[in-house]
Amino acid sequence: MGYLTIKQYSPKRFILLHWVSFLISLVGICALVVARGHYSIDVLLAYFVTSRLWWIYHTMATNANLKVSSEENILSRAWWFYIFWYFERNVPSQLPKRFCLPVPANVRRFLLSFRRCQVCQLCRRRGE
């Protein structure tokens, strides 16, 4: 789930982050099997179910035609469709591509203050 979240919600230019999260997930899965924490079939089945649910949900959430109940929408016949519709009814189909630090506002202001420090402003005025 961690890899799927990072891959879905981070910018495409963060290739290194995508590969590192994929490799960490792969090592974790292999370690689980090698340590005999789970059987191989359990791990494969969990991957299959989790990834398919992830992609079905995100396909439905980003496609406006799949958010309405109709004869053409086969997914609207699922028992959980109305739960999905309840949570996603006020969300636009395409979310804006804006990213920010997931920290409190005062910490964010502190971190961003380094970009606007007096020394940097003096350097910009001088053209350095």
Side-chain angles (χ1 to χ4, degrees):
M1 287 291 287
Y3 168 70
L4 293 174
T5 303
I6 289 171
K7 183 75 172 163
Q8 180 79 24
Y9 293 112
S10 65
K12 290 184 180 182
R13 67 179 186 269
F14 289 1
I15 296 170
L16 182 62
L17 176 66
H18 297 161
W19 277 102
V20 167
S21 65
F22 173 75
L23 292 175
I24 289 173
S25 298
L26 187 65
V27 167
I29 290 169
C30 292
L32 190 65
V33 172
V34 169
R36 296 184 182 178
H38 285 278
Y39 293 113
S40 300
I41 191 68
D42 293 347
V43 174
L44 291 174
L45 187 63
Y47 168 76
F48 183 80
V49 170
T50 304
S51 61
R52 296 310 167 257
L53 284 176
W54 177 271
W55 292 122
I56 288 171
Y57 173 79
H58 283 85
T59 300
M60 290 178 68
T62 57
N63 190 339
N65 294 331
L66 296 177
K67 287 186 177 183
V68 291
S69 180
S70 66
E71 287 295 320
E72 293 83 27
N73 184 5
I74 295 173
L75 295 173
S76 67
R77 298 178 194 156
W79 64 269
W80 46 264
F81 177 77
Y82 291 103
I83 299 170
F84 166 80
W85 178 81
Y86 175 78
F87 285 113
E88 296 291 329
R89 66 180 171 201
N90 295 328
V91 179
S93 292
Q94 292 296 326
L95 296 176
K97 298 275 186 182
R98 291 185 309 213
F99 305 102
C100 65
L101 295 173
V103 295
N106 54 358
V107 175
R108 190 178 312 124
R109 279 192 299 271
F110 174 74
L111 292 173
L112 293 176
S113 69
F114 290 113
R115 292 192 326 178
R116 292 176 268 165
C117 70
Q118 296 300 323
V119 175
C120 296
Q121 290 176 359
L122 288 173
C123 292
R124 281 191 215 134
R125 287 185 197 145
R126 292 182 197 160
E128 294 177 6

